[in-house]
Amino acid sequence: MNFYKTDETFNPIELSDWVAPDCHGLNFYDIDLSLRQLLNLYMPKDLQAHMEPHFQRLGALAGNEMDIWSRDADRHSPQLHTRDARGRNEDWVEFHPSYRKMEQVAFEDFGLHAMSNRSGVLGWQDKVPPVAKYVFQYLFGQSEFGQLCPISATETTAMLINRYGDEKIRELFFNKMVSQDMDQLLKGGQFMTEKPGGSDVSNTALQARFEDGEWRVYGEKWFCSCADADVILMLARPEGAPSGNAGIGLFALPRHLEDGSRNRYRLVRLKNKMGSKSMASAEIIFEGATVYPLGDVGAHENRGLKMMMDQVNMSRLSHGVRAASMMRRCLNESLAVAGYRRAFGGKLIEKPLLRRQLMKLMVPTEQALSLYLYTAKMMEAGDAGDEKAARMTRILTPLLKYRTARDNVRVATGAMEIRGGNGYIEDWVNPRLVRDAHLGVLWEGTSNINSLDVVNRAVAKVGAHVDLGEGLSDLIDGTKEIPGQFAGQLKGLVDQAINLAETVAKEGRETLARKASTALFHVTTATLMASEGARLGAEGGDARRLLLSRMITDHKLGQANPLSVEAGQFDEQATDCLLNDAPVSLEDARQILTL
């Protein structure tokens, strides 16, 4: 989509007019044709009609005020104050006012943290379904990445407390954690990482001791995001508990005790991070801080890690949504530049090689959008008791996190390159997008950890790949509008990817875990996008996602001959359609697929 038309605005006499604008000032919901079309497939009509005004309102905020606030908060990082004026160790974190304004949008105005935990948010009679909740995160993340961490952390901390906490713990924390009153709200966090551990939480050394009738923790945590949180979930090893995962318990730590006094832990320093600078991360020392156990904890086997994995899985899906949102911003920025900037006798978007580069940004952006919407629907069905959907969610979540986090880095870098030298200057949004994108491959497990989770657990232990393969095959068979030859090709690729993942799992070929996970990701998104495009086209809408599906099979799954010149005919015609504002009919899409 061309956001800027240089025919009307370009004035070659004014040198500043040669510099392409960015997306500031646009409504990020209104310009997202892909999202708006897909909601017709993934969201019930009554829910869509109810949420549409709220999507538009957040889209306008994200493209205007929030875009300014986010840039302010990135430039003015949080500051740690270790003592009060009288010398007491009551540390606190100072945030820029722009950060607080974004908190108000997230927690008070839209209740992003409360949507999954209680009914009534934004006037919806029940809990907001995942597919709608993640649209809000997707729009929010196109301006502000860092604050999505405390939003997600508050949501999932409240969820685990409600699910596993006893009556006292729920009474102390839950209602305030899902409040939209900023004076009452308790924000959540999760402090997991330790110096010996990293992704290997079995090395957790933080010790929990039962003293004077209550649990207290001693030791330190190394990387604590949401350092200013009011209620923190943390893993600790009860005194005398065995080593390894079985000895780890899950505890809730309040920042302030019931009498209002500060709990006994200290923020030693804030991390000087490469990205997500708006949100405070810290190193923390615990000096007998009071904590509340979730579930039974003690000197024998503990279920803390298993309970915490509920949060990890939801957080991984949220990270996939964040990557999708950031890639969308990168793509939109690139389209804004290409549709405006003039060089070498014409607009950039008319240059064949630049058009090819735009497609390299568009394909992974659209893949991420389709997969997160589909995963959200599977999560909803799984929560409602559909065991097959629950198993599919189990494999889709790490697939989404693994691949979109990696693609986000490449897309952000590509968008910076399309803007050119200005893309390296902090006056523009591109440097922040590049910096923030890299955090995705670290948070909630590196690429290795997530690919091994797919192969060694979701495939080898759960058998979720079988459900995924059947689900994708059923989707192809059930979408009659997909051309027969292409449908057959897709089914063959699905079978090959499922077999690859099963072989890698059975033979313990860990070095191929990333290859197998990547194959599963690509066949899943190619199938989804073929079905989406065919269904939308059959309803008289836009069938262009069929063309994107073939781009995945050709370029991501090796179906195109890399040494062939003739293979470019499909790419050229598909690119012309995908970079044009006009919808693509099902008939035209099917014809182009045959090239």
Side-chain angles (χ1 to χ4, degrees), residues 4-38:
Y4 296 96
K5 308 291 186 182
T6 59
D7 296 335
E8 295 85 13
T9 62
F10 190 73
N11 177 9
I13 298 176
E14 174 56 58
L15 294 181
S16 296
D17 279 355
W18 287 87
V19 178
D22 59 15
C23 291
H24 178 76
L26 301 175
N27 184 311
F28 289 169
Y29 178 72
D30 285 346
I31 66 173
D32 198 336
L33 182 62
S34 294
L35 173 65
R36 290 190 286 114
Q37 288 179 338
L38 289 179

Side-chain angles (χ1 to χ4, degrees), residues 138 320 323-328 330-331 356-372 400 403-412 521-522 525 529 545 548 551-552 555-556:
Y138 172 81
S325 70
M326 292 171 67
M327 284 191 274
R328 180 65 61 185
C330 290
L331 176 61
R356 179 176 172 83
Q357 296 310 112
L358 286 171
M359 297 314 302
K360 289 186 176 182
L361 307 187
M362 182 181 291
V363 170
T365 299
E366 300 294 353
Q367 286 179 282
L369 175 61
S370 288
L371 189 54
Y372 102 65
L400 177 72
R403 192 63 254 173
T404 59
R406 298 191 61 76
D407 288 342
N408 192 15
V409 174
R410 297 182 66 179
V411 169
F521 175 84
H522 290 318
T525 54
M529 294 164 83
R545 298 186 84 77
L548 289 165
M551 286 195 164
I552 298 170
H555 298 289
K556 305 293 186 179

Side-chain angles (χ1 to χ4, degrees), residues 172-203:
L172 280 173
F173 303 129
F174 181 74
N175 286 337
K176 290 185 177 180
M177 295 196 73
V178 298
S179 173
Q180 290 178 249
D181 183 342
M182 297 302 289
D183 293 329
Q184 295 291 321
L185 174 66
L186 295 178
K187 290 176 291 185
Q190 289 110 31
F191 298 170
M192 301 238 285
T193 307
E194 299 185 13
K195 291 177 182 177
S199 296
D200 185 5
V201 295
S202 65
N203 287 329

Side-chain angles (χ1 to χ4, degrees), residues 253-265:
L253 174 140
R255 182 170 178 80
H256 293 95
L257 302 177
E258 292 183 64
D259 62 5
S261 63
R262 179 74 159 79
N263 208 348
R264 292 198 292 178
Y265 67 91

Side-chain angles (χ1 to χ4, degrees), residues 4 20-24 26 67 71 329 333 336 419 427-429:
Y4 296 96
D22 59 15
C23 291
H24 178 76
L26 301 175
D67 195 39
R71 298 182 199 212
R329 180 65 185 270
E333 290 291 330
R419 187 169 288 280
D427 292 344
W428 304 86
V429 72

